Amino acid sequence: MWGITRDGTMWRDESVTYQVAHRSLSEIWRLLHHADAVHGLYYVFMHALFGLRDGGLLTLRLPSVLAIALAAGCVGLIAHRLAGARAGVLSGVVFALVPDIQMYAQEGRSYAMVCALVAWSTYLLVRSLDRPSRTCWALYSLVSLTAIWLHEFAVLALFAHGVSVAVIRPGPRNARGWRVAAGLAFAGSLPLILFSMGQSDQVSWIGRPKAGEWCEIAGWALVALLCAGHLGTGGGKGRSRDTDTGADTDTGAGSDTGAGADTGSGSGHAVVRSVGLSLAVVPTAALLLGSLYASMYVDRYVLFTNLGIALLLGTTLDRLLRSRRWPGTGGAHHPGGAHRPAVRVAALAGLMAVLALVLVPVSRQLRTPESRKDDLTAIGKAVEEVSADGDGVMFTPARRREWKLSSTGPFDTLDDLALQESPAASGSLQGEEMSADRIRARMLSTPRIVVLSDPPGEPEDAVAREAVKRAVLRTYFHACARERVRGAQVTLYARSAAACDDAG
């Protein structure tokens, strides 16, 4: 909850959630026929939530906070079931500390909720492979289907689970149970997947991953592989509990996890390796391969890959803390062996101190407006700085009208020159604009225009309306004043130099 209002600001994607959730159900239904079908269930949920309590930014972001808390709990339960209590605690804590998780825990979009549902379905998968039942498999199918209807790329979690099942090689009964449950979930998601393919132009803005993104992808994949490799040493044993002492010890059977039971699912650490590595790598790899056909990789679309990373990291840390060959301690009969627990505690405390030094500044930054692509409050203030009552306003590209839709005040006295029909009335996200000829005529009849556009260096839309806007401004107007804020620039244009002087 710390910093959940982010200084009272939101960014453009959250603005879309906010304004769509405040439409009527019939208006939302009409919108989904034209755009954002992939977010339809989430919009309906948020509409109902705002109907119960319109708490502004708190209502907008609270579902994500609760979802990440649920996801962390599920990660802990999975690791506890497979590798013991301490592995569960460490995995849950690691998950909560991942910067991307902290970021989307306070985001008014569906990604945290999808992550929570994938975490829940993963727990149900592990439990079903251990103690199969029709009820558990049915619940697994229902949770997976709900996750996909919240965002269709959650189907990639099903593929990751399929890889896990193939690697674990459970008994025929369990393998058949997963195939049926996953098949039903996939079949139930096909209407959404097929329908949303007709709206693929909405994501035409997605480009190829940049160098920094490639480094991040490779870095996390390397961490996952190293952890999986470590858990694979020594036979990938699980955990069991000594009934006399109550202490957790290494075993080859993983008796308290059920992972070595007659389900044929293997030992606890082996299951963590297969489930964690598949979740961490398969969804991202699938999106990147799909990008060979059409760019579609955005990290938040596969936020749930962090579930696998947390499982692997938490379980690896637990195993390191339990290792009999802890650096500098010798074995049990080594003169320094008696001090091994103290060394481990000191090492863990040192690790926590380093993490705090690294993550506290990151956590603080993630709770500021500067952590997002743009800042609607700053944009509104820039508009107030350069505009006067009665000025025209123009958005280029048109989708940047989302900066206006959740704002009050700055745009109330400005004339939206290109807008023909409002978003709600047109069943669209940003409204329906006039033809290129009408836009040109309206611009030429307006002495001063406030133009909101992307920062320099962003690609320009090639459609006729956008080309006309740029051509008219370049040919007939003078740039009088420009304010650059995070993710946007606001420019006042006037037909004459005299009007520019008046603006100053």
Side-chain angles (χ1 to χ4, degrees):
M1 298 295 288
W2 164 41
I4 192 171
T5 61
R6 209 180 307 134
D7 295 340
T9 66
M10 68 175 78
W11 72 292
R12 57 179 178 247
D13 279 15
E14 291 183 305
S15 171
V16 171
T17 297
Y18 188 84
Q19 58 97 1
V20 171
H22 282 82
R23 298 185 190 185
S24 67
L25 286 176
S26 61
E27 289 172 335
I28 294 174
W29 180 251
R30 186 181 177 194
L31 165 70
L32 301 181
H33 283 77
H34 302 97
D36 260 12
V38 66
H39 296 298
L41 181 59
Y42 176 66
Y43 290 150
V44 171
F45 171 80
M46 293 303 295
H47 170 85
L49 191 62
F50 276 111
L52 291 174
R53 185 179 187 278
D54 195 343
L57 293 176
L58 181 61
T59 302
L60 180 68
R61 293 173 184 153
L62 187 59
S64 294
V65 174
L66 298 177
I68 291 301
L70 173 63
C74 287
V75 170
L77 287 174
I78 295 167
H80 176 262
R81 188 177 191 90
L82 296 173
R86 184 162 57 187
V89 172
L90 288 170
S91 296
V93 170
V94 167
F95 177 77
L97 291 177
V98 173
D100 278 355
I101 294 300
Q102 293 190 56
M103 179 173 180
Y104 290 103
Q106 296 187 347
E107 186 89 358
R109 297 296 279 172
S110 65
Y111 309 111
M113 296 175 65
V114 172
C115 189
L117 289 171
V118 171
W120 189 7
S121 70
T122 303
Y123 172 74
L124 291 169
L125 172 68
V126 170
R127 181 173 177 177
S128 296
L129 291 177
D130 179 9
R131 297 176 182 174
S133 70
R134 290 185 178 181
T135 300
C136 205
W137 281 124
L139 190 56
Y140 170 82
S141 185
L142 179 62
V143 172
S144 297
L145 178 61
T146 306
I148 298 170
W149 273 85
L150 272 177
H151 196 284
E152 64 187 10
F153 282 168
V155 74
L156 298 175
L158 274 185
F159 297 160
H161 289 168
V163 172
S164 299
V165 172
V167 172
I168 294 170
R169 291 191 295 181
R173 180 186 176 191
N174 280 353
R176 183 171 59 253
W178 179 81
R179 286 196 298 269
V180 171
L184 289 173
F186 182 72
S189 67
L190 276 177
L192 172 66
I193 294 172
L194 295 175
F195 184 80
S196 65
M197 288 174 67
Q199 300 176 356
S200 59
D201 286 347
Q202 273 196 277
V203 292
S204 59
W205 56 268
I206 300 176
R208 306 289 182 185
K210 298 178 181 178
E213 291 175 299
W214 279 115
C215 289
E216 183 178 359
I217 292 168
W220 281 120
L222 180 60
V223 168
L225 289 169
L226 289 174
C227 290
H230 179 78
L231 293 174
T233 60
K237 300 175 183 178
R239 309 302 306 167
S240 67
R241 183 169 294 276
D242 187 320
T243 55
D244 295 328
T245 66
D248 288 326
T249 58
D250 283 313
T251 73
S255 58
D256 75 331
T257 70
D262 60 3
T263 62
S265 60
S267 68
H269 282 163
V271 178
V272 170
R273 287 178 66 210
S274 59
V275 172
L277 192 57
S278 297
L279 268 178
V281 174
V282 170
T284 299
L287 273 192
L288 291 174
L289 286 173
S291 295
L292 297 176
Y293 169 71
S295 295
M296 61 181 71
Y297 175 78
V298 180
D299 58 356
R300 60 183 178 268
Y301 292 170
V302 286
L303 182 68
F304 51 83
T305 58
N306 291 287
L307 298 167
I309 292 168
L311 277 173
L312 292 167
L313 269 173
T315 308
T316 299
L317 286 173
D318 172 65
R319 193 172 188 195
L320 286 172
L321 289 171
R322 296 176 187 275
S323 174
R324 295 180 180 179
R325 292 183 296 275
W326 189 261
T329 64
H333 302 293
H334 189 277
H339 301 291
R340 185 173 59 187
V343 173
R344 292 177 180 179
V345 170
L348 184 59
L351 177 61
M352 293 297 105
V354 170
L355 285 175
L357 288 173
V358 172
L359 292 176
V360 167
V362 173
S363 298
R364 293 186 64 179
Q365 194 272 339
L366 289 173
R367 288 159 174 80
T368 65
E370 289 73 24
S371 64
R372 268 52 178 188
K373 289 184 177 179
D374 52 30
D375 177 355
L376 267 63
T377 301
I379 293 170
K381 289 179 180 178
V383 170
E384 287 181 321
E385 288 288 329
V386 303
S387 66
D389 291 356
D391 286 346
V393 64
M394 182 73 62
F395 300 89
T396 178
R399 58 182 175 273
R400 294 297 168 254
R401 188 171 283 104
E402 59 209 1
W403 290 332
K404 166 190 174 183
L405 299 178
S406 300
S407 300
T408 57
F411 299 95
D412 291 349
T413 61
L414 304 181
D415 183 12
D416 194 337
L417 299 177
L419 185 63
Q420 177 171 289
E421 197 171 15
S422 71
S426 63
S428 63
L429 289 173
Q430 288 90 28
E432 185 66 30
E433 292 201 336
M434 303 172 184
S435 66
D437 289 341
R438 288 191 63 192
I439 291 174
R440 184 179 189 275
R442 292 211 69 193
M443 291 177 70
L444 291 175
S445 66
T446 305
R448 298 178 6 139
I449 303 175
V450 178
V451 177
L452 287 84
S453 59
D454 288 328
E458 294 294 319
E460 296 179 336
D461 288 14
V463 297
R465 292 185 182 93
E466 301 303 331
V468 162
K469 293 174 188 177
R470 294 192 298 268
V472 171
L473 290 171
R474 184 169 56 248
T475 306
Y476 299 101
F477 283 80
H478 301 270
C480 304
R482 177 171 286 121
E483 295 280 343
R484 287 180 178 167
V485 295
R486 184 166 185 80
Q489 61 179 2
V490 180
T491 309
L492 174 63
Y493 286 90
R495 288 294 304 272
S496 66
C500 280
D501 292 339
D502 293 341

